[in-house]
Amino acid sequence: MLRRAGCSSLDELFQCIPPPLRRAGALNLPEAGSEQEVLARLEALAARNENAAAMDCFLGAGCYAHFLPSAVDALVSRAEFTTSYTPYQAEISQGTLQAVFEWQTMLCGLTGLEVANASLYDGASATAEAALMALRITRRRKVVASAGLHPHTLQVLRTYLRALGAELRVLPAAADGRTAAPADLCDDTACLVVQQPGFLGVVEEIAPLAQAAHAAGALCIATHSEALALALLRAPGALGADIACGEAQSFGVPMSFGGPHLGFLAARREFLRQMPGRLVGQTEDSTGKRGFVLTLATREQHIRRERATSNVCTNQGLCLLMATIYLSLLGRRGLAELARLNLAKAEFAKSLVRRTPGLSLPLSAPTFNEFAVGVPDAAAALARARDAGCIGGLDLAPFAPQLGPALLICTTELCSRAAIERLVAALAGVQ
Amino acid sequence: MSGAPQGGAANAAGGLAYEEPLIFEQSRPGRRGAELPRCDVPEVDAAALLGENLREDLPALPELSEVEVVRHFTRLSTWNAAVDLGLYPLGSCTMKYNPKLNERVARLPGFAWAHPLSPAAEVQGLLELCFELEGFLAEISGMDCVTLQPAAGAQGELAGLMMIRAHFEQRGEPRSKVLVPDTAHGTNPASAALNGYQVQTVASGADGVLHPGALKAAMDETVAALMITNPNTLGLFEDHIAELCEIVHAQGGLVYGDGANLNALLGVARPGDMGLDVMHMNLHKTFSTPHGGGGPGAGPVAVKRVLAPYLPTPRVQRGPDGRFAWRDDAPHSIGRLHGGHGNVGMLLRAYAYILSLGAAGLRRCAEAAVLNANYLLARLRGAWHLPYDRPVMHECVLSDRALQASGVSTLDVAKRLIDHGYHPPTIYFPLTVPGALMIEPTESESLEGLDRFADTLLQIAEEARRDPALLHGAPHRTRHRRLDETRAARKPVLRWTPQEESA
C-alpha cells in the first residue's frame, strides 16, 4: 500500500508536515488497554457516582429521572441509527428523515405551534437560539427574561447575548413564585422569555405575559425544562407564545450527568425562515413516491455562511429519535396519564409536607411535579435523606436565597409512595 | 415495481424491503405501547389544581402497541446507510468505526443515571473522568487547558471566539474582524458572526493552502483572529502554518483551529506546537463517538494559557487532597454554555476510546487514515480529475471536470455510488473546487475494502462516458429514486396533518 501511495515508510506519509512541527516522542498518555481492562476502569469510575438507578431520586431541577421503556434503548441501539450521520443523502437516509419528520409533527402537537426543527443541543442553548431568533425578527436589541428561568438557562442566555452585545433584563418573581406581567416593556424589547413550569416548579400564567409582550411589539417565548408538563398544561401556542423551546430530556433520554439531552424549538409559521437548525420536509421522488429531505438549507451555515440563522451543524439526532420512540410508545393517552401521575405524586408529597412540623411550602402558586420545601437546615436535611437512600432534592441556597433554607423536590412516576414518605420523614428529621 | 402489491395493501417494495407509512397513519384509538405503574397515591382533581392552565385536548400523539412501534422504527432503520453497514466516506466527518465497548460503558447506571446537580462529593467518579479527559485532550492537542462543555464542534467554535472576544475586551482593544480561508467549513464564518465579527475571506493559493503573502495583505490590528482548519478541507496540510501564526501574533491577533480534521495528526503533530492559541475537537469525528444520525456530538475546546481566564464555568478542579470539585470563581469567564456539563455521555465514550488505543494506538490511527487516503488517491489518479494532485493527509478531493464532456455531474456520481452500495462522499465542498467530491476513508477500511471502492469509482467514471443517462437517473436500486429537494423547499411541508391523509 505504501509503495502504491508513493511512500517508502509510514513516516514519509507525513513529509508535508515541516519536520520541526513533527513530534518525535510519544504522547504522554496511558498505555493501550484491552477491552476488559478499559471496562474495569470505567466500571470503577461509574461505581463512585450516586445515581437514580441505585437510590430514590427527588432531584429534578432541569434533569428528570423518568422510567425508560426497554424498547427505546433497544431501537436506538440499532447501528443503522447510531452509526449514520446527518441525512445529507436522502435516498439512503429515509429512516432518520422520516423519524425527524415524525418528531417535528409531535412537537407541533405538543406545543400548539406550526413548525418545529430537528433539535438543538439542550434546553439552555435552545432558549438562547430562540432569543437570537427574536432579535432577528424584531430587529431589536433587548431580551427580557423571567427570573423563573432555570438559572443555568439564564446563564447560557447571558453568554450568547453578551457575544452579540445585546441587553438582558431579568424580571423578578412575585411572592407566590410566578412572573408578573410587566407594564413597562420598552419599544426596544425583542422578546419576553418565560419558563413553564418555572424553575421553582410553579405553573406560570402565560397568556398575560404574551399579551404584555405583544402590546410592546415583542415576541413571547415559552421555554421548558420539564417537557412532560406539555401533556398536562395548556399548549404555549394556544396561550399566545410565538416560540416554544426548551429541553425534552424527559421524553426517554437518560440523565447522563446532564447530557446529551434534547433541545427543541417550535414557532409560528411566519417565523419559519428565521429558525435555526435542521428542518426535514416532505417531497416526492422521481416516480411520485412520498419521501423526506433536509430542507430550507439556505438558512444554514453550510450555504449562507456568516449570514446563516445559526452556526448549528451537528445537533442531537439520536436523542430526538429516543423522544420520538418514547412518545410513540406512550401515545396521546399514555403521556397525559403519565403527567397526571406525576402531578398526583407531587400533590401527595406536598400534603405530607404541609402536615409535617418544621417543613413548609413557601410558594403558593400551583405546581406540576416539582416544588420548593422550606426546611430548618438544607444541608442536614439532604444528609438525612441520603442516609435514607434518597437523592433528596436541590439545595436552593445558591439559586433562591429569598426562600431561606429550602430544597427543590421533584416527584416523578419512579417515586413510590413509600419512598416519598421516607423522604419527607428524613427531611423533617423524624425517625 | 411490477409484481408488487399496489395501493394500501403494499407491505413490501420487494422481499424484505418494507414499505412503512408515517406512524400517525397507523394510529388506532385506544392502543398503547407502554403501561404505566398503578397510582399508589390519592388521585387528584387536575382541573381544581390548575384551573385555566389545564390542557383540555390530549396531545396529538399516535396510538400503537409496543410491537407496532418496534416494527415501525426497525423498518425505518433499514432505510439508513451506516458505518456498521459499510464504507461511509463523508469527507471532513470522519465516519470511523465506533467501538461497541463505548456503548456499553455509556449505559453503566453510575453514568447514565447520574444527575448533573448531584453534589460534587457524590459524583467523584465522573469528575475524575472529566478531569482526566481534559488532560488527555490537552496532551493530544498541545494546549494548556480544556473545557468539555461545548455540545458540538460549532458550539466549540462559538466558545473559542467568545474567549477571543473577551480577551480583546479585557485588554481594552476590541477588534472587529475574523479572517477565514476560502476552504473553511461554513460553521467558521457563522460562529464569527454570532460574536458580532465581520468575516473576511482569504484566498488560498493555487496549491490549495494559505500563503503568508495573502494573509499579510489581510492582517492588521482590527483582526481578532484567523480561523484555520489543518489539515484543510482539501486534505492538505497547511505547511506555512508556523509562519501564518507568527504573522497573526505579530499584530496581536490569535489563531483559532477548527479541529474537524485532527484525526490526521494524532500523535504525529500537535496544533499547539504549531502556534495555534485555541481549537475545538469533534469527539464524534476523531474520538469515535457515534454520529447518531446527526448528533449528539461533543466539541471540547483547548486553549493556551493566554485564554485560560476566559474558559466557560464551572470548571472541574482537583484539590490538594485529591478530591475533585466544580469551581466557578473566574471573573473573566465567558460564562456558561451548556445547561449541564456538556454531552458527558459522549465524553465518556471518547475517554474509553483513548484508553483503548493509548499513545501508540492513536498514532497508528493517524498513520492508517493518511495511508488509506493516499492509497485511494493513487488508485484514482488518471481516471479522475484531481484538482490538487499532491500528497494528502486523511482525505482527498476529486472533481467532476473529467466527466463534464458527457454531461455527468458530481451529484450524478454521488447518486450512482448509492447503487453500488456506498454512502457518497461529501459533495460540492470545499467551495473552492467546482463539483468537488471529498473522500475520507478513515483508518477503519481494509485494503480490500479500499480496492473495492476504488474499483467502483473507476467503473462509474467509465459508466459516465458510456451511458450518462444511467447516472442522471441514479439511484436505481433504492427504495426511493432521486428525491426532489426543490419541491420540498418551494412549498415546505414540515409536519403531517390529518387532512393530507384524506387528500
Side-chain angles (χ1 to χ4, degrees), chain A residues 375-386:
Chain A
V375 293
D377 177 335
L382 286 176
R384 285 194 301 270
R386 200 155 269 120

Side-chain angles (χ1 to χ4, degrees), chain B residues 27-53:
Chain B
S27 176
R28 295 293 176 271
R31 287 191 195 159
R32 62 166 64 184
E35 293 302 327
L36 300 182
R38 68 184 177 83
C39 185
D40 59 359
V41 296
E43 303 273 359
V44 292
D45 179 351
L49 288 166
L50 298 168
E52 286 290 294
N53 282 308

Side-chain angles (χ1 to χ4, degrees), chain A residues 166-214:
Chain A
E167 197 185 329
L168 175 64
R169 173 185 160 201
V170 179
L171 286 179
D176 68 355
R178 284 182 285 206
T179 308
D184 59 342
L185 287 183
C186 63
D187 61 8
D188 198 26
T189 304
C191 58
L192 195 164
V193 191
V194 59
Q195 181 174 313
Q196 178 74 306
F199 173 64
L200 297 175
V202 300
V203 175
E204 297 275 10
E205 295 292 341
I206 302 281
L209 292 166
Q211 281 159 17
H214 295 156

Side-chain angles (χ1 to χ4, degrees), chain A residues 1 4 10-11 14 18 21 23 27-30 32-33 39 41-42 45-46 48-52 59-60 63 66 73 75 77-86 89-96 98 101-102 104-105 109-110 114 121-122 152 155-156 159-160 162-164 205 230 232-234 255-260 269 272 280-286 289-291 293 295 301 305-306 311 314-318 328-329 331-333 336-338 345 348 417, chain B residues 19 21 23-25 32-34 36 40-41 52-55 59 61-63 72-74 76-77 79-84 88 93 95 98 104 107 110-116 118 122-126 128 132 139 154-155 158 165 184 186-187 189 191 193-195 239 241 264 268-270 290-296 334 336 338-339 341 343-345 351 355-359 363 372 378 415 418 447 479-484 487-489 492-496:
Chain A
M1 277 182 87
R4 185 72 197 251
L10 284 172
D11 285 341
F14 298 98
L21 299 183
R23 193 174 169 80
L27 293 171
N28 182 19
L29 293 172
L39 180 61
R41 167 69 179 147
L42 271 294
L45 287 169
R48 288 163 52 212
N49 307 312
E50 74 172 7
N51 65 79
L59 181 51
C63 181
H66 286 291
D73 192 49
L75 289 167
S77 295
R78 287 189 64 91
E80 299 91 332
F81 288 131
T82 308
T83 72
S84 56
Y85 201 16
T86 305
Q89 295 291 340
E91 295 83 1
I92 47 169
S93 309
Q94 284 297 301
T96 293
Q98 182 167 327
F101 187 81
E102 291 173 353
Q104 289 175 181
T105 303
L110 284 167
E114 294 149 324
Y121 306 132
D122 66 349
H152 293 173
Q155 288 170 22
V156 172
T159 303
Y160 273 72
R162 192 193 288 142
L164 280 176
E205 295 292 341
L230 288 166
L232 184 72
L233 302 178
R234 205 174 284 266
M255 297 201 291
S256 291
F257 203 47
R269 192 174 178 97
L272 174 60
V280 169
Q282 182 177 311
T283 189
E284 289 177 359
D285 73 2
S286 54
K289 185 168 171 176
R290 179 176 68 184
V293 292
T295 194
Q301 47 78 25
R305 300 176 79 85
E306 65 268 26
N311 70 338
T314 293
N315 49 46
Q316 305 286 113
L318 203 66
S328 301
L329 288 166
R332 59 204 305 251
R333 285 185 176 75
E337 284 171 23
L338 180 65
K345 299 273 187 180
F348 174 70
R417 179 184 185 122
Chain B
E19 296 295 339
I23 198 156
F24 306 97
E25 294 162 347
R32 62 166 64 184
L36 300 182
D40 59 359
V41 296
E52 286 290 294
N53 282 308
L54 182 68
R55 186 170 188 144
L61 298 171
E63 296 176 274
H72 176 70
F73 288 100
T74 303
L76 291 193
S77 77
W79 301 344
N80 272 2
V83 172
D84 282 9
Y88 203 122
C93 297
M95 302 298 290
N98 311 138
R104 180 170 174 180
R107 285 163 174 78
F111 297 139
W113 288 87
H115 195 288
S118 274
E122 307 296 335
V123 283
Q124 286 288 301
L126 271 156
E128 181 172 336
E132 271 193 29
E139 171 68 9
Q155 205 185 26
L158 189 61
R165 193 174 183 276
T187 48
S191 301
L194 280 173
N195 274 277
D239 46 5
I241 185 67
V268 174
R270 307 194 304 173
H291 284 69
I334 59 165
R336 180 182 271 277
H338 193 271
H341 307 295
N343 281 346
V344 177
Y351 176 85
L355 287 188
S356 298
L357 265 62
R363 185 181 167 104
N372 282 355
K415 298 305 183 192
I418 294 173
L447 174 59
R479 198 180 148 272
H480 276 95
R481 302 293 295 277
R482 202 175 293 196
L483 285 148
D484 187 348
R487 177 196 175 102
V493 177
L494 304 172
R495 62 175 166 144
W496 177 80

Side-chain angles (χ1 to χ4, degrees), chain A residues 88-169:
Chain A
Y88 298 115
Q89 295 291 340
E91 295 83 1
I92 47 169
S93 309
Q94 284 297 301
T96 293
L97 286 161
Q98 182 167 327
V100 174
F101 187 81
E102 291 173 353
W103 163 249
Q104 289 175 181
T105 303
M106 290 178 187
L107 198 53
C108 288
L110 284 167
T111 58
L113 287 162
E114 294 149 324
V115 287
N117 77 6
S119 85
L120 294 162
Y121 306 132
D122 66 349
S125 69
T127 307
E129 289 277 6
L132 298 190
M133 190 175 153
L135 294 178
R136 289 192 299 273
I137 291 166
T138 62
R139 299 171 186 275
R140 295 178 176 186
R141 300 297 302 163
K142 189 170 172 184
V143 171
V144 176
S146 151
L149 262 61
H150 191 294
H152 293 173
T153 303
L154 208 48
Q155 288 170 22
V156 172
L157 181 59
R158 197 181 300 280
T159 303
Y160 273 72
L161 292 178
R162 192 193 288 142
L164 280 176
E167 197 185 329
L168 175 64
R169 173 185 160 201

